[in-house]
Amino acid sequence: MSENLARQFLIREDVVFLNHGSFGACPRPVFAAYQNWQLELERQPVEFLGRNLTETMRQPRIALAAELGTVPENIVGLTNATLGLNIVAQSLDLKPGDQILTTDHEYSALEKTWAYVARRTGAEIVVVKIPMPLTTEAQFTDTVIAGMTDRTRVLFLSHITSPTALLFPIDRSIAEARKRGIWSVIDGAHTPGHIKLELDALGADFYSGNCHKWMMAPKGSAFLHARPEVQGLINPLVISHGWTANSKEPGAKGAFGNSPFIDELEMQGTRDPAPWLTVPAALAYRRDNDWPSVQAHCHALAQDTARRLGELTGLAPLSAPEFCAPQMVAMPVPDCDVDAIKDALLDKYSIEIPVFRWQDTCIVRLSVQGYNSKPQMDLLLTALTDLLHLEGAAERRVS
Ligand SMILES: Cc1ncc(COP(=O)(O)O)c(C=O)c1O
């Protein structure tokens, strides 16, 4: 990637930052647009937050909906995907004995969310184990569908998984859930700006995604998408001015003239709307910098680095390439003290990258974004060879 592109980000030069996946990173022009929104707010808070906010909040919804293959009426701006998914999980009417079907690749905070919901409602969580390595669509879909019973009320899936960086082929599972009257709830924390999304065509009942990760908008920008037919099921976690006692039937008006779905969720007391308002600037930045080409380059770099590490370790990848997140790859490494390796990568090589144990596998999760470079990948491989004693490891594994 060009030096020029790296300079457009605020990442410190003394850090080799290979963990875009956790919190994203915001390019300078997008960050400047964000600060401009904050300044504008401070110059006339009552006008900004009082009189104009409903209208101002609408613009990002219009821009984002066009990007995500939906209409502005089906999405609402929130601060993060955790919030979006909590709103859904805590709205659905679950009873003792109902089942929430999910996989063994989910993000730990959301596992807690569903555990909390299960405890409060008496519902039961059913976790299906996705056979690994993931090499065919049927292997995923057949496993998920085999987990559905006549008690399943919710299907909860990550679209791109956090610990394993897999791109789950979720389409047929969603369609099957719909056929059986099961609500599909999708954790899309990693997908906006990472893969092409067509939310209406995908057909999930509820889909929450972050704009602050791969779309590179400022921290605290995310959305919840809901099909019009199920928007009325949603209740806000915080009751504020947006709430009304009106009906929630399709076509009903909320307190500020949008739908109740939008008005109830968007207004949650005083908050900084600047990250959400900056979403159009993030989309413009990507257009101005030919981001599809940047992403293709990052994808090639990620896959090449994983292949080279695989040659060093002799360990097989977690999936066929088509099920790997384009700019993120979870690379298996030999059994090790994961925290010690993570710390040593940072202390000795200034490399920021997650190293953790997932089930029985030790994983180094590599993210590649436009500010990263081939020399950084080379350094990572050198560092892992040193710290994990990989010289000759592949040969030792075979013999
Ligand atoms: C799969 C997945 N879901 C949800 C989240 C939560 O995102 P946030 O903290 O922005 O709500 C993450 C964060 O990394 C994630 O990886």
Side-chain angles (χ1 to χ4, degrees), residues 138-376:
Q139 192 184 327
F140 174 81
T141 307
D142 292 352
T143 306
V144 171
I145 293 178
M148 294 178 182
T149 72
D150 55 7
R151 289 202 282 138
T152 311
R153 298 293 307 285
V154 175
L155 173 65
F156 175 65
L157 299 173
S158 285
H159 200 171
I160 288 180
T161 63
S162 172
T164 45
L166 296 180
L167 174 58
F168 273 167
I170 58 177
D171 303 50
R172 278 205 302 132
S173 304
I174 291 171
E176 184 63 24
R178 173 83 70 83
K179 240 193 316 188
R180 296 181 187 220
I182 297 168
W183 291 308
S184 52
V185 183
I186 307 301
D187 177 351
H190 282 278
T191 58
H194 194 172
I195 59 169
K196 180 73 190 137
L197 286 173
E198 293 290 342
L199 290 180
D200 286 348
L202 182 65
D205 289 306
F206 305 101
Y207 192 111
S208 190
N210 281 328
C211 302
H212 53 232
K213 287 188 193 273
W214 297 95
M215 199 175 271
M216 303 182 298
K219 314 289 174 281
S221 51
F223 66 87
L224 172 64
H225 173 273
R227 292 197 308 114
E229 295 80 358
V230 293
Q231 288 177 8
L233 300 177
I234 291 298
N235 294 309
L237 287 177
V238 175
I239 306 301
S240 180
H241 298 297
W243 186 82
T244 61
N246 293 351
S247 126
K248 291 195 182 188
E249 291 300 306
K253 283 274 173 263
F256 304 124
N258 298 302
S259 63
F261 170 67
I262 290 171
D263 284 347
E264 291 183 357
L265 298 186
E266 218 165 59
M267 165 51 74
Q268 310 207 343
T270 305
R271 65 165 162 134
D272 180 1
W276 171 248
L277 299 178
T278 308
V279 165
L283 294 174
Y285 173 83
R286 296 161 62 87
R287 274 195 300 276
D288 294 347
N289 289 277
D290 187 14
W291 215 253
S293 303
V294 174
Q295 289 187 282
H297 182 85
C298 292
H299 175 59
L301 213 47
Q303 286 294 306
D304 182 59
T305 307
R307 181 190 55 74
R308 290 165 68 200
L309 184 60
E311 283 172 7
L312 286 167
T313 62
L315 296 172
L318 297 184
S319 75
E322 65 264 38
F323 302 115
C324 190
Q327 290 179 246
M328 214 165 51
V329 53
M331 306 184 295
V333 291
D335 200 66
C336 60
D337 178 341
V338 286
D339 291 333
I341 297 296
K342 183 158 85 88
D343 291 348
L345 282 165
L346 191 58
D347 295 344
K348 190 168 172 190
Y349 290 96
S350 298
I351 297 175
E352 183 71 72
I353 193 166
V355 185
F356 52 88
R357 190 177 288 275
W358 176 77
Q359 299 183 356
D360 293 333
T361 308
C362 293
I363 286 176
V364 175
R365 195 189 71 180
L366 170 66
S367 294
V368 183
Q369 188 50 294
Y371 48 79
N372 293 128
S373 65
K374 170 82 167 39
Q376 293 182 324

Side-chain angles (χ1 to χ4, degrees), residues 1-11 28 370-372:
M1 198 49 48
S2 74
E3 280 280 301
N4 192 24
L5 200 49
R7 274 200 293 272
Q8 288 186 34
F9 285 80
L10 290 146
I11 299 286
R28 288 176 193 275
Y371 48 79
N372 293 128

